[in-house]
Amino acid sequence: VMAIRDSAASLTPCRTTFRAITATDETRWLRESARPWREADGTVVWAGVWQDDTPRMRAEARHKLLMDHAGDCIFVLSGAGRIIWCNAAARQTFALPGETLVGRPFAQLTDLPPRAPELEESEGLGWEGSCELTAYRGDGSRFPFEMTLSEARSDGRLSLIVIGRDITRRRDAERRLAESEHRLRLTFAAASLGIVVIAMDGRIEFYNPAFESLAGEGHDSLLGVNIFTFLPDGLIPARGRLPPPGMAFCVTCEPRLGDGERRQWRLTGTQFLA
């Protein structure tokens, strides 16, 4: 209504989009373009067209619904690197309302180097691809951010698409895993019992110092050596007769060692999936 009143007051073209309810209660979107003039009696009349804009409006609504329900942060930037649009995940992750994000240089949200002022807008940020960097929330707190940047052109104009996510939990999980693996390796290396990991065909894939001492001299490295170099054939159960993962078998034997001395080994083994 305001657009029509303004058009009548200024006699400028009226371009609006409005909803209409059909006889079957279906909502349709119509786009109007009309030019006004004033009759001799002072009445303002318009001549123009209405176009059914329903497919475009529905497509935009579906697009907005999809973008705002995406788990990743999505930014659309101008060629100069300023934020044109962002989705709900971006606003939530960076703890900033949309109105304070739109128009802001994206580089202010991360430690991404800012564009050189002498670059033309058509040149973009100068790179595409994925990276991990530090990002900043509205309260100034920092968090690790993984993002992918790609360039797109429409009607000759350059836009930049940023898709990213907060990877704090992943970084924490990686740190805990690295610490766990480090503790396991220390325990493995310090164990007084010989421990060896072998493939199903008998090749040694990993061993600790205690097993190397048990095996004696004669090998620069035991990696790749077949365990049956030391053990009698058929001592370890074949694949089909191995206990399931989590259960163990136990055998005893006299190993064949390079020094020729007789020793007794007791082997306890468990298969696992790797």
Side-chain angles (χ1 to χ4, degrees), residues 123-205:
E123 297 184 46
L125 290 179
W127 63 274
E128 294 182 87
S130 301
C131 67
E132 294 183 9
L133 38 74
T134 299
Y136 307 94
R137 303 189 200 278
D139 61 3
S141 59
R142 300 153 56 98
F143 65 96
F145 189 66
E146 179 185 62
M147 57 171 268
T148 299
L149 175 71
S150 57
E151 296 184 352
R153 290 187 181 272
S154 177
D155 298 328
R157 296 183 63 84
L158 175 68
S159 295
L160 306 172
I161 311 299
V162 174
I163 300 177
R165 61 203 58 84
D166 181 348
I167 57 172
T168 301
R169 291 185 178 180
R170 193 181 79 188
R171 286 278 183 86
D172 289 344
E174 290 172 349
R175 176 183 53 79
R176 290 193 297 269
L177 178 60
E179 292 173 352
S180 176
E181 289 181 345
H182 180 64
R183 289 193 297 269
L184 178 61
R185 287 181 179 273
L186 289 177
T187 303
F188 191 82
S192 59
L193 295 176
I195 305 173
V196 60
V197 177
I198 63 173
M200 293 303 295
D201 61 4
R203 287 178 296 105
I204 295 176
E205 295 184 340

Coordinates of all heavy atoms in Angstrom, one line a residue, residues 123-205:
E123 N 39.4 -8.8 -8.8 CA 40.4 -9.8 -8.5 C 40.1 -10.7 -7.3 O 40.9 -11.7 -7.1 CB 41.8 -9.1 -8.3 CG 42.2 -8.3 -9.5 CD 43.6 -7.6 -9.3 OE1 44.5 -8.3 -8.8 OE2 43.7 -6.4 -9.6
G124 N 39.1 -10.4 -6.5 CA 38.8 -11.3 -5.4 C 39.8 -11.3 -4.3 O 40.6 -10.3 -4.2
L125 N 39.8 -12.3 -3.5 CA 40.8 -12.4 -2.4 C 42.1 -12.9 -2.8 O 43.1 -13.0 -2.1 CB 40.2 -13.2 -1.2 CG 39.1 -12.6 -0.5 CD1 38.6 -13.6 0.6 CD2 39.5 -11.3 0.2
G126 N 42.2 -13.4 -4.1 CA 43.4 -13.9 -4.6 C 43.7 -15.4 -4.4 O 44.7 -15.9 -4.8
W127 N 42.8 -16.1 -3.7 CA 43.0 -17.5 -3.6 C 41.7 -18.3 -3.4 O 40.7 -17.7 -3.0 CB 43.9 -17.8 -2.4 CG 43.3 -17.4 -1.0 CD1 43.4 -16.1 -0.5 CD2 42.6 -18.2 -0.1 NE1 42.8 -16.1 0.7 CE2 42.3 -17.3 1.0 CE3 42.2 -19.5 -0.1 CZ2 41.5 -17.8 2.1 CZ3 41.5 -20.0 1.0 CH2 41.2 -19.1 2.0
E128 N 41.7 -19.6 -3.6 CA 40.6 -20.4 -3.4 C 41.1 -21.7 -2.7 O 42.3 -22.0 -2.8 CB 39.9 -20.8 -4.7 CG 39.2 -19.7 -5.4 CD 38.5 -20.1 -6.7 OE1 37.4 -20.5 -6.6 OE2 39.2 -20.1 -7.8
G129 N 40.2 -22.4 -2.0 CA 40.6 -23.7 -1.4 C 40.2 -23.7 0.0 O 39.4 -22.9 0.5
S130 N 40.8 -24.7 0.8 CA 40.5 -24.9 2.2 C 41.6 -24.6 3.1 O 42.8 -24.7 2.7 CB 40.1 -26.4 2.4 OG 39.0 -26.7 1.5
C131 N 41.3 -24.2 4.3 CA 42.4 -23.9 5.2 C 41.8 -23.9 6.6 O 40.5 -23.9 6.8 CB 43.0 -22.5 5.0 SG 41.9 -21.1 5.3
E132 N 42.6 -24.0 7.6 CA 42.2 -23.8 9.0 C 42.9 -22.6 9.6 O 44.1 -22.4 9.4 CB 42.7 -25.1 9.8 CG 41.9 -26.4 9.4 CD 42.3 -27.5 10.3 OE1 43.1 -27.3 11.3 OE2 42.0 -28.7 10.0
L133 N 42.1 -21.8 10.3 CA 42.6 -20.5 10.8 C 41.9 -20.2 12.2 O 41.1 -21.0 12.6 CB 42.5 -19.4 9.8 CG 41.2 -19.3 9.0 CD1 40.0 -18.9 9.8 CD2 41.4 -18.4 7.8
T134 N 42.3 -19.1 12.7 CA 41.7 -18.7 14.0 C 40.6 -17.7 13.7 O 40.8 -16.8 12.9 CB 42.7 -18.1 14.9 OG1 43.7 -19.0 15.2 CG2 42.1 -17.6 16.2
A135 N 39.4 -17.9 14.3 CA 38.3 -17.0 14.2 C 38.0 -16.3 15.5 O 38.4 -16.8 16.6 CB 37.1 -17.7 13.6
Y136 N 37.2 -15.3 15.5 CA 36.9 -14.5 16.6 C 35.4 -14.3 16.8 O 34.7 -13.9 15.9 CB 37.5 -13.1 16.6 CG 39.0 -13.2 16.3 CD1 39.5 -13.1 15.0 CD2 39.9 -13.4 17.3 CE1 40.8 -13.2 14.7 CE2 41.3 -13.5 17.1 CZ 41.7 -13.4 15.8 OH 43.1 -13.5 15.5
R137 N 34.8 -14.6 18.0 CA 33.4 -14.4 18.3 C 33.2 -12.9 18.6 O 34.1 -12.1 18.8 CB 33.0 -15.3 19.4 CG 33.2 -16.8 19.2 CD 32.5 -17.6 20.2 NE 33.2 -18.9 20.3 CZ 32.9 -19.9 19.5 NH1 32.0 -19.8 18.6 NH2 33.5 -21.1 19.6
G138 N 31.9 -12.6 18.7 CA 31.5 -11.3 19.1 C 32.1 -10.8 20.4 O 32.3 -9.6 20.6
D139 N 32.3 -11.7 21.4 CA 32.9 -11.3 22.7 C 34.4 -11.3 22.7 O 35.0 -11.1 23.7 CB 32.3 -12.3 23.7 CG 32.7 -13.7 23.5 OD1 33.5 -14.0 22.5 OD2 32.3 -14.6 24.3
G140 N 35.0 -11.5 21.5 CA 36.5 -11.5 21.4 C 37.1 -12.8 21.6 O 38.4 -12.9 21.4
S141 N 36.4 -13.9 22.0 CA 37.0 -15.2 22.2 C 37.4 -15.8 20.9 O 36.8 -15.5 19.8 CB 36.1 -16.1 23.0 OG 34.9 -16.3 22.2
R142 N 38.5 -16.6 20.9 CA 39.0 -17.2 19.7 C 38.6 -18.7 19.6 O 38.4 -19.3 20.6 CB 40.6 -17.1 19.8 CG 41.1 -15.7 19.9 CD 42.5 -15.7 20.5 NE 43.5 -16.5 19.9 CZ 44.4 -16.1 19.0 NH1 44.4 -14.8 18.7 NH2 45.2 -16.9 18.5
F143 N 38.5 -19.2 18.4 CA 38.2 -20.6 18.2 C 38.8 -21.0 16.8 O 38.9 -20.2 15.9 CB 36.7 -20.9 18.3 CG 35.9 -20.2 17.2 CD1 35.6 -20.9 16.1 CD2 35.5 -18.9 17.3 CE1 34.8 -20.4 15.1 CE2 34.7 -18.3 16.3 CZ 34.4 -19.0 15.2
P144 N 39.2 -22.3 16.7 CA 39.7 -22.8 15.4 C 38.5 -22.9 14.4 O 37.5 -23.5 14.7 CB 40.3 -24.2 15.8 CG 39.6 -24.6 17.0 CD 39.2 -23.4 17.7
F145 N 38.8 -22.5 13.2 CA 37.7 -22.4 12.2 C 38.3 -23.1 10.9 O 39.4 -22.7 10.4 CB 37.4 -21.0 11.9 CG 36.2 -20.8 11.0 CD1 34.9 -21.2 11.4 CD2 36.3 -20.2 9.8 CE1 33.8 -21.0 10.6 CE2 35.2 -20.0 9.0 CZ 33.9 -20.4 9.4
E146 N 37.6 -24.0 10.4 CA 38.0 -24.7 9.1 C 37.0 -24.1 8.0 O 35.8 -24.1 8.2 CB 37.8 -26.2 9.2 CG 38.2 -26.9 7.9 CD 37.9 -28.4 8.0 OE1 36.7 -28.8 8.3 OE2 38.9 -29.2 7.9
M147 N 37.6 -23.7 6.9 CA 36.7 -23.0 5.9 C 37.2 -23.4 4.5 O 38.4 -23.7 4.3 CB 36.7 -21.5 6.1 CG 38.1 -20.9 6.0 SD 38.0 -19.1 5.9 CE 38.0 -18.8 4.2
T148 N 36.2 -23.3 3.6 CA 36.5 -23.5 2.2 C 36.0 -22.2 1.5 O 34.9 -21.8 1.7 CB 35.8 -24.7 1.6 OG1 36.3 -25.9 2.2 CG2 36.1 -24.8 0.1
L149 N 36.9 -21.6 0.6 CA 36.5 -20.4 -0.1 C 36.5 -20.7 -1.6 O 37.4 -21.4 -2.1 CB 37.6 -19.3 0.2 CG 37.4 -18.0 -0.6 CD1 36.2 -17.3 -0.2 CD2 38.7 -17.2 -0.5
S150 N 35.5 -20.3 -2.3 CA 35.4 -20.5 -3.7 C 34.8 -19.2 -4.3 O 34.1 -18.4 -3.7 CB 34.5 -21.7 -4.1 OG 33.2 -21.5 -3.5
E151 N 35.2 -19.0 -5.6 CA 34.7 -17.8 -6.3 C 33.6 -18.2 -7.2 O 33.6 -19.2 -7.8 CB 35.9 -17.1 -7.0 CG 37.0 -16.6 -6.1 CD 38.1 -15.9 -6.8 OE1 38.1 -15.9 -8.1 OE2 39.0 -15.3 -6.2
A152 N 32.7 -17.3 -7.4 CA 31.6 -17.5 -8.4 C 31.3 -16.1 -9.0 O 31.4 -15.1 -8.4 CB 30.3 -18.0 -7.6
R153 N 30.9 -16.2 -10.3 CA 30.5 -15.0 -11.1 C 29.1 -15.1 -11.6 O 28.7 -16.2 -12.0 CB 31.5 -14.8 -12.2 CG 32.9 -14.4 -11.8 CD 33.8 -14.0 -12.9 NE 35.1 -13.7 -12.5 CZ 35.5 -12.5 -12.1 NH1 34.6 -11.5 -12.2 NH2 36.7 -12.2 -11.7
S154 N 28.4 -14.0 -11.4 CA 27.0 -14.0 -11.9 C 26.8 -12.6 -12.5 O 27.1 -11.6 -11.8 CB 26.0 -14.2 -10.7 OG 24.7 -14.1 -11.2
D155 N 26.3 -12.5 -13.7 CA 26.1 -11.3 -14.4 C 27.4 -10.4 -14.4 O 27.3 -9.2 -14.3 CB 24.9 -10.5 -13.8 CG 23.6 -11.2 -13.9 OD1 23.4 -12.0 -14.9 OD2 22.8 -11.1 -13.0
G156 N 28.5 -11.1 -14.5 CA 29.8 -10.4 -14.6 C 30.3 -9.9 -13.3 O 31.4 -9.3 -13.2
R157 N 29.6 -10.1 -12.2 CA 30.1 -9.7 -10.9 C 30.6 -10.9 -10.1 O 30.1 -12.0 -10.2 CB 28.9 -9.1 -10.1 CG 28.4 -7.8 -10.7 CD 27.3 -7.2 -9.8 NE 27.8 -6.7 -8.6 CZ 28.5 -5.6 -8.3 NH1 28.6 -4.8 -9.3 NH2 28.9 -5.3 -7.2
L158 N 31.7 -10.6 -9.3 CA 32.4 -11.6 -8.6 C 31.8 -11.7 -7.2 O 31.5 -10.7 -6.5 CB 33.8 -11.3 -8.5 CG 34.7 -12.2 -7.6 CD1 34.8 -13.6 -8.2 CD2 36.1 -11.6 -7.3
S159 N 31.5 -13.0 -6.7 CA 31.1 -13.2 -5.4 C 32.0 -14.3 -4.8 O 32.5 -15.1 -5.5 CB 29.6 -13.7 -5.3 OG 28.7 -12.7 -5.7
L160 N 32.1 -14.3 -3.5 CA 32.9 -15.3 -2.8 C 32.0 -16.1 -1.9 O 31.3 -15.5 -1.1 CB 34.1 -14.6 -2.0 CG 35.0 -13.7 -2.8 CD1 35.9 -12.9 -1.9 CD2 35.8 -14.4 -3.9
I161 N 32.2 -17.4 -1.9 CA 31.4 -18.3 -1.1 C 32.3 -18.9 0.0 O 33.2 -19.6 -0.4 CB 30.7 -19.4 -1.9 CG1 29.9 -18.8 -3.1 CG2 29.7 -20.1 -1.0 CD1 28.9 -17.8 -2.8
V162 N 32.0 -18.7 1.2 CA 32.7 -19.3 2.3 C 31.8 -20.3 3.1 O 30.7 -19.9 3.5 CB 33.2 -18.2 3.3 CG1 33.9 -18.8 4.5 CG2 34.2 -17.2 2.7
I163 N 32.3 -21.5 3.2 CA 31.6 -22.5 4.0 C 32.6 -23.0 5.0 O 33.7 -23.4 4.7 CB 31.1 -23.7 3.1 CG1 30.2 -23.2 2.0 CG2 30.4 -24.7 3.9 CD1 29.7 -24.3 1.0
G164 N 32.2 -22.9 6.3 CA 33.1 -23.2 7.4 C 32.4 -23.8 8.6 O 31.2 -23.8 8.7
R165 N 33.2 -24.2 9.6 CA 32.7 -24.8 10.8 C 33.7 -24.6 11.9 O 34.9 -24.5 11.7 CB 32.4 -26.3 10.6 CG 33.7 -27.1 10.2 CD 33.3 -28.4 9.5 NE 32.6 -28.1 8.3 CZ 33.2 -27.8 7.1 NH1 34.5 -27.7 7.1 NH2 32.5 -27.6 6.0
D166 N 33.1 -24.5 13.1 CA 33.9 -24.5 14.4 C 34.4 -25.9 14.6 O 33.7 -26.8 14.7 CB 33.0 -24.0 15.5 CG 33.8 -23.9 16.8 OD1 34.9 -24.4 16.9 OD2 33.2 -23.3 17.8
I167 N 35.8 -26.0 14.7 CA 36.4 -27.4 14.9 C 37.0 -27.5 16.2 O 37.9 -28.3 16.4 CB 37.4 -27.7 13.8 CG1 38.5 -26.6 13.7 CG2 36.7 -27.8 12.4 CD1 39.6 -26.9 12.8
T168 N 36.5 -26.8 17.2 CA 37.0 -26.9 18.6 C 36.9 -28.3 19.1 O 37.9 -28.8 19.7 CB 36.2 -25.9 19.5 OG1 36.4 -24.6 19.0 CG2 36.8 -26.0 20.9
R169 N 35.7 -28.9 18.9 CA 35.6 -30.3 19.4 C 36.5 -31.3 18.7 O 37.1 -32.2 19.4 CB 34.1 -30.7 19.3 CG 33.1 -30.0 20.2 CD 31.7 -30.6 20.0 NE 30.8 -29.9 20.9 CZ 29.5 -30.2 20.9 NH1 29.0 -31.2 20.1 NH2 28.7 -29.6 21.7
R170 N 36.7 -31.1 17.4 CA 37.6 -32.0 16.7 C 39.0 -31.8 17.2 O 39.7 -32.8 17.3 CB 37.5 -31.7 15.2 CG 38.1 -32.8 14.4 CD 38.0 -32.5 12.9 NE 39.0 -31.5 12.5 CZ 39.0 -31.0 11.3 NH1 38.0 -31.2 10.4 NH2 39.9 -30.1 10.9
R171 N 39.4 -30.6 17.4 CA 40.8 -30.3 17.8 C 41.0 -30.9 19.2 O 42.0 -31.6 19.5 CB 41.0 -28.8 17.9 CG 41.2 -28.2 16.5 CD 42.7 -28.4 16.1 NE 42.9 -27.7 14.8 CZ 43.3 -26.4 14.7 NH1 43.4 -25.7 15.8 NH2 43.5 -25.9 13.5
D172 N 40.0 -30.8 20.1 CA 40.1 -31.4 21.4 C 40.2 -32.9 21.3 O 40.9 -33.6 22.1 CB 38.9 -31.0 22.3 CG 38.9 -29.5 22.7 OD1 40.0 -28.9 22.6 OD2 37.9 -29.0 23.1
A173 N 39.4 -33.5 20.5 CA 39.4 -35.0 20.3 C 40.7 -35.4 19.7 O 41.3 -36.4 20.2 CB 38.2 -35.4 19.4
E174 N 41.3 -34.7 18.8 CA 42.6 -35.0 18.2 C 43.7 -34.9 19.3 O 44.6 -35.8 19.4 CB 42.9 -34.1 17.1 CG 42.1 -34.3 15.8 CD 42.3 -33.3 14.8 OE1 42.9 -32.3 15.1 OE2 41.8 -33.5 13.6
R175 N 43.6 -33.9 20.2 CA 44.6 -33.8 21.2 C 44.5 -34.9 22.2 O 45.5 -35.5 22.6 CB 44.4 -32.4 22.0 CG 45.3 -32.2 23.2 CD 45.0 -30.9 23.9 NE 43.5 -30.8 24.2 CZ 43.0 -31.4 25.2 NH1 43.7 -32.1 26.0 NH2 41.7 -31.2 25.5
R176 N 43.2 -35.3 22.6 CA 43.1 -36.4 23.5 C 43.5 -37.7 22.9 O 44.2 -38.5 23.6 CB 41.6 -36.5 24.0 CG 41.1 -35.4 24.9 CD 39.8 -35.7 25.5 NE 38.7 -35.9 24.5 CZ 38.0 -34.9 24.1 NH1 38.1 -33.6 24.6 NH2 37.0 -35.1 23.2
L177 N 43.3 -37.9 21.6 CA 43.7 -39.1 21.0 C 45.2 -39.2 20.9 O 45.8 -40.2 21.2 CB 43.2 -39.2 19.5 CG 43.6 -40.4 18.7 CD1 43.2 -41.7 19.3 CD2 43.0 -40.2 17.3
A178 N 45.9 -38.0 20.6 CA 47.3 -38.0 20.6 C 47.9 -38.3 21.9 O 48.9 -39.0 22.1 CB 47.8 -36.6 20.1
E179 N 47.3 -37.7 23.0 CA 47.8 -38.0 24.3 C 47.6 -39.5 24.7 O 48.5 -40.1 25.3 CB 47.1 -37.1 25.3 CG 47.4 -35.6 25.2 CD 46.5 -34.8 26.1 OE1 45.6 -35.3 26.7 OE2 46.8 -33.6 26.2
S180 N 46.5 -40.0 24.3 CA 46.2 -41.5 24.6 C 47.2 -42.3 23.9 O 47.8 -43.3 24.4 CB 44.8 -41.8 24.2 OG 44.6 -43.2 24.4
E181 N 47.5 -42.0 22.6 CA 48.4 -42.8 21.8 C 49.8 -42.7 22.4 O 50.6 -43.7 22.4 CB 48.4 -42.4 20.4 CG 47.2 -42.7 19.6 CD 47.2 -42.3 18.2 OE1 48.1 -41.5 17.8 OE2 46.4 -42.8 17.4
H182 N 50.2 -41.5 22.9 CA 51.5 -41.3 23.5 C 51.6 -42.2 24.7 O 52.7 -42.8 24.9 CB 51.7 -39.8 23.8 CG 53.0 -39.5 24.4 ND1 54.2 -39.7 23.7 CD2 53.4 -39.1 25.7 CE1 55.2 -39.4 24.5 NE2 54.7 -39.0 25.7
R183 N 50.6 -42.2 25.6 CA 50.6 -43.0 26.8 C 50.7 -44.5 26.4 O 51.5 -45.2 27.1 CB 49.4 -42.7 27.7 CG 49.4 -41.3 28.3 CD 48.4 -41.3 29.4 NE 47.0 -41.4 28.9 CZ 46.3 -40.4 28.5 NH1 46.8 -39.1 28.6 NH2 45.1 -40.6 28.0
L184 N 50.0 -44.9 25.4 CA 50.0 -46.3 25.0 C 51.4 -46.7 24.5 O 51.9 -47.8 24.9 CB 49.0 -46.5 23.9 CG 48.9 -47.9 23.4 CD1 48.5 -48.9 24.5 CD2 47.9 -48.0 22.2
R185 N 52.0 -45.8 23.7 CA 53.3 -46.1 23.2 C 54.4 -46.2 24.4 O 55.2 -47.1 24.4 CB 53.8 -45.1 22.2 CG 53.0 -45.2 20.9 CD 53.5 -44.2 19.9 NE 52.8 -44.4 18.6 CZ 53.2 -45.2 17.6 NH1 54.3 -45.9 17.8 NH2 52.5 -45.3 16.5
L186 N 54.2 -45.3 25.3 CA 55.2 -45.4 26.5 C 55.0 -46.7 27.2 O 55.9 -47.4 27.6 CB 54.9 -44.2 27.4 CG 55.4 -42.8 26.9 CD1 55.0 -41.7 27.9 CD2 56.9 -42.8 26.6
T187 N 53.7 -47.1 27.5 CA 53.4 -48.3 28.2 C 53.9 -49.5 27.4 O 54.5 -50.4 27.9 CB 51.9 -48.4 28.4 OG1 51.5 -47.3 29.2 CG2 51.6 -49.7 29.2
F188 N 53.7 -49.5 26.1 CA 54.1 -50.6 25.2 C 55.6 -50.7 25.2 O 56.1 -51.9 25.3 CB 53.6 -50.2 23.8 CG 53.7 -51.3 22.8 CD1 52.7 -52.3 22.7 CD2 54.8 -51.4 21.9 CE1 52.8 -53.3 21.8 CE2 54.9 -52.4 21.0 CZ 53.9 -53.4 20.9
A189 N 56.3 -49.6 25.2 CA 57.8 -49.7 25.1 C 58.4 -50.1 26.5 O 59.4 -50.8 26.5 CB 58.4 -48.3 24.7
A190 N 57.7 -49.7 27.6 CA 58.2 -50.0 28.9 C 57.8 -51.4 29.4 O 58.3 -51.8 30.5 CB 57.8 -48.9 29.9
A191 N 56.9 -52.1 28.7 CA 56.4 -53.3 29.2 C 57.6 -54.4 29.3 O 58.4 -54.4 28.4 CB 55.3 -53.9 28.4
S192 N 57.6 -55.2 30.4 CA 58.6 -56.2 30.5 C 58.3 -57.4 29.7 O 59.2 -58.2 29.4 CB 58.7 -56.6 32.0 OG 57.5 -57.1 32.5
L193 N 57.0 -57.6 29.3 CA 56.6 -58.7 28.5 C 56.8 -58.4 27.0 O 56.6 -57.2 26.6 CB 55.2 -59.1 28.7 CG 54.8 -59.6 30.1 CD1 53.3 -59.9 30.2 CD2 55.5 -60.9 30.4
G194 N 57.3 -59.3 26.2 CA 57.4 -59.1 24.8 C 56.0 -59.0 24.2 O 55.2 -59.8 24.3
I195 N 55.8 -57.9 23.4 CA 54.6 -57.7 22.7 C 54.9 -57.5 21.2 O 55.8 -56.7 20.8 CB 53.9 -56.4 23.2 CG1 53.7 -56.5 24.8 CG2 52.5 -56.2 22.6 CD1 53.1 -55.2 25.4
V196 N 54.1 -58.2 20.4 CA 54.3 -58.1 18.9 C 53.0 -58.1 18.3 O 52.0 -58.7 18.7 CB 55.2 -59.3 18.4 CG1 54.5 -60.6 18.7 CG2 55.5 -59.2 17.0
V197 N 52.9 -57.3 17.2 CA 51.7 -57.2 16.4 C 52.0 -57.8 15.0 O 53.0 -57.4 14.4 CB 51.2 -55.7 16.2 CG1 50.0 -55.7 15.2 CG2 50.9 -55.1 17.5
I198 N 51.2 -58.8 14.6 CA 51.5 -59.5 13.4 C 50.3 -59.5 12.5 O 49.1 -59.4 12.9 CB 52.0 -61.0 13.6 CG1 50.8 -61.8 14.2 CG2 53.2 -61.0 14.4 CD1 51.1 -63.2 14.3
A199 N 50.5 -59.5 11.2 CA 49.4 -59.6 10.2 C 49.0 -61.0 10.2 O 49.6 -61.9 10.7 CB 49.9 -59.1 8.8
M200 N 47.8 -61.3 9.5 CA 47.3 -62.6 9.4 C 48.2 -63.6 8.7 O 48.2 -64.8 9.0 CB 45.9 -62.6 8.7 CG 44.8 -61.8 9.5 SD 44.6 -62.5 11.2 CE 43.9 -64.1 10.8
D201 N 49.1 -63.1 7.8 CA 50.0 -64.0 7.2 C 51.3 -64.2 8.0 O 52.3 -64.9 7.5 CB 50.4 -63.5 5.8 CG 51.1 -62.1 5.8 OD1 51.3 -61.6 6.9 OD2 51.3 -61.6 4.7
G202 N 51.4 -63.6 9.2 CA 52.6 -63.8 10.1 C 53.6 -62.7 10.0 O 54.5 -62.8 10.8
R203 N 53.5 -61.8 9.2 CA 54.5 -60.7 9.1 C 54.4 -59.8 10.3 O 53.3 -59.4 10.7 CB 54.3 -59.8 7.8 CG 54.7 -60.5 6.5 CD 54.4 -59.6 5.3 NE 53.0 -59.3 5.2 CZ 52.5 -58.2 5.5 NH1 53.2 -57.2 6.0 NH2 51.2 -58.0 5.3
I204 N 55.6 -59.5 10.9 CA 55.6 -58.6 12.1 C 55.4 -57.2 11.6 O 56.2 -56.7 10.8 CB 57.0 -58.8 12.8 CG1 57.1 -60.2 13.4 CG2 57.1 -57.8 13.9 CD1 58.4 -60.5 14.0
E205 N 54.5 -56.5 12.3 CA 54.2 -55.1 11.9 C 54.6 -54.1 13.0 O 54.9 -53.0 12.7 CB 52.7 -54.9 11.6 CG 52.2 -55.7 10.4 CD 50.7 -55.4 10.1 OE1 50.0 -55.0 11.0 OE2 50.3 -55.7 9.0

